[in-house]
Amino acid sequence: MRESERPPLAGSDRILLPVRWLAVLLLPFLLVAAGILILLPGRTAEFFAWPIAPPLTAMVLGAAYVGGIVFFAAVVLTRDWHRVRRGFLPVFVFATLLGIATALHMDKFTLNLPFVAWAALYATTPFLVAWAAIVQRPADPGTPAPLDTEIPAPLAWCLVGVGAIAAVTGLTMFVVPTAFIELWGWDLTPLTARTVGAILSLTGFVNVAMIVDRRWSSYRALYAAQLVSLAFLLFAVLVRRDDMHWERPAAWGFVALLCMALVLYGGFAAWAERTMRRSALPTDAAVSNAHRP
């Protein structure tokens, strides 16, 4: 195909205005939900779409929304599509699972204004996010950003493996929630088990694209969102530690996995940032040659 015949969006790395507006539309929902779930986790029966018990589960969901706020703010503010593209699949999976969970457990929800907002959000978001990803797909040029680095294959596959474990655990938890109720680190119901499963699936699907895309610029915004979300998850466990069943191995395992994820993801992001910036610095030889008469 000749250059003049290519679609205008192909290879432009441009985010379409309707996709930015989608992010703008979602951000107020996420901000309000995160505020209620994190600041008022014990009052979800009054202010949220359904009463969530114990409050720790509410804060865990709120932490996921905080990550969503960081990600969709990046969609609004960034110029390049490829920098946020890889977040749309995890969001699609998360929104789809919560939409299904809502349909399966309608009797647990409160028929109030927050539920109307919740139902509208999860009835439409999977389709809107899928539409955005499909329409925008040709915009990714597939080339590194001007300031970028490539994730080494062994490290990429390690991160894919970590994500796969989280995704499989989350999907299993969603499909057979009752299998986890007596084992989990805090009290769960089938609905809250499915909610936690959706959250684990969200984090698990972040790394899957590293199979085909190892540009660090494709994941900077996602890892910023993940690290902020992980920090809020640890904060939730600290604040609501009395909700945990510390006699269960899963409670300690959950905390250990959170800490390991923070160290692993934080260390990886720090390494990638340092490597990217070093690649932008002129070498000593280049500096020397530049100063020769």
Side-chain angles (χ1 to χ4, degrees), residues 217-240:
S217 59
S218 298
Y219 302 96
R220 288 183 80 199
L222 277 173
Y223 269 77
Q226 284 220 112
L227 288 170
V228 171
S229 185
L230 284 167
F232 270 86
L233 281 170
L234 277 176
F235 171 74
V237 172
L238 177 64
V239 171
R240 301 301 311 184

Side-chain angles (χ1 to χ4, degrees), residues 1-20:
M1 181 181 291
R2 290 179 299 180
E3 188 69 26
S4 60
E5 297 175 344
R6 296 177 67 194
L9 193 63
S12 67
D13 214 11
R14 177 169 58 92
I15 300 177
L16 294 171
L17 187 59
V19 176
R20 292 189 194 276

Side-chain angles (χ1 to χ4, degrees), residues 139-187:
D140 188 349
T143 55
L147 184 61
D148 212 341
T149 192
E150 184 176 282
I151 304 167
L155 180 55
W157 280 105
C158 175
L159 291 167
V160 169
V162 171
I165 293 170
V168 169
T169 302
L171 291 173
T172 303
M173 200 169 184
F174 188 87
V175 174
V176 285
T178 54
F180 291 82
I181 289 176
E182 297 299 325
L183 302 174
W184 200 247
W186 63 89
D187 290 336

Side-chain angles (χ1 to χ4, degrees), residues 6-289:
R6 296 177 67 194
L9 193 63
S12 67
D13 214 11
R14 177 169 58 92
I15 300 177
L16 294 171
L17 187 59
V19 176
R20 292 189 194 276
W21 278 111
L22 171 60
V24 170
L25 178 66
L26 292 174
L27 278 170
F29 287 97
L30 296 172
L31 284 163
V32 172
I36 293 170
L37 294 170
I38 291 172
L39 300 178
L40 301 168
R43 302 183 66 181
T44 52
E46 300 170 63
F47 299 114
F48 202 61
W50 45 292
I52 304 176
L56 174 58
T57 304
M59 293 189 74
V60 167
L61 180 57
Y65 285 151
V66 169
I69 291 167
V70 175
F71 171 70
F72 282 109
V75 175
V76 173
L77 298 173
T78 194
R79 182 185 61 183
D80 303 330
W81 162 244
H82 89 273
R83 295 182 184 274
V84 295
R85 174 187 178 184
R86 302 305 177 183
F88 278 71
L89 174 60
V91 171
F92 171 78
V93 172
F94 175 74
T96 299
L97 292 179
L98 283 187
I100 295 171
T102 302
L104 291 174
H105 300 282
M106 279 291 294
D107 60 314
K108 303 300 181 185
F109 287 83
T110 306
L111 296 180
N112 55 11
L113 183 59
F115 171 71
V116 173
W118 170 282
L121 185 68
Y122 289 108
T124 59
T125 298
F127 300 101
L128 293 172
V129 167
W131 165 82
I134 292 169
V135 170
Q136 285 274 180
R137 187 175 183 273
D140 188 349
T143 55
L147 184 61
D148 212 341
T149 192
E150 184 176 282
I151 304 167
L155 180 55
W157 280 105
C158 175
L159 291 167
V160 169
V162 171
I165 293 170
V168 169
T169 302
L171 291 173
T172 303
M173 200 169 184
F174 188 87
V175 174
V176 285
T178 54
F180 291 82
I181 289 176
E182 297 299 325
L183 302 174
W184 200 247
W186 63 89
D187 290 336
L188 293 175
T189 66
L191 174 55
T192 56
R194 286 192 161 109
T195 302
V196 173
I199 295 168
L200 289 174
S201 300
L202 169 69
T203 60
F205 273 87
V206 166
N207 296 338
V208 69
M210 289 184 186
I211 296 172
V212 295
D213 183 1
R214 300 212 306 272
R215 296 168 293 178
W216 167 236
S217 59
S218 298
Y219 302 96
R220 288 183 80 199
L222 277 173
Y223 269 77
Q226 284 220 112
L227 288 170
V228 171
S229 185
L230 284 167
F232 270 86
L233 281 170
L234 277 176
F235 171 74
V237 172
L238 177 64
V239 171
R240 301 301 311 184
R241 56 190 176 275
D242 290 343
D243 292 343
M244 300 283 285
H245 289 297
W246 295 108
E247 72 279 5
R248 297 179 184 176
W252 294 99
F254 182 77
V255 175
L257 286 173
L258 284 181
C259 294
M260 288 173 58
L262 262 177
V263 172
L264 175 62
Y265 287 1
F268 163 63
W271 169 85
E273 287 291 302
R274 185 170 61 250
T275 304
M276 180 182 68
R277 284 174 169 74
R278 282 179 178 173
S279 68
L281 295 174
T283 62
D284 292 341
V287 172
S288 177
N289 290 334

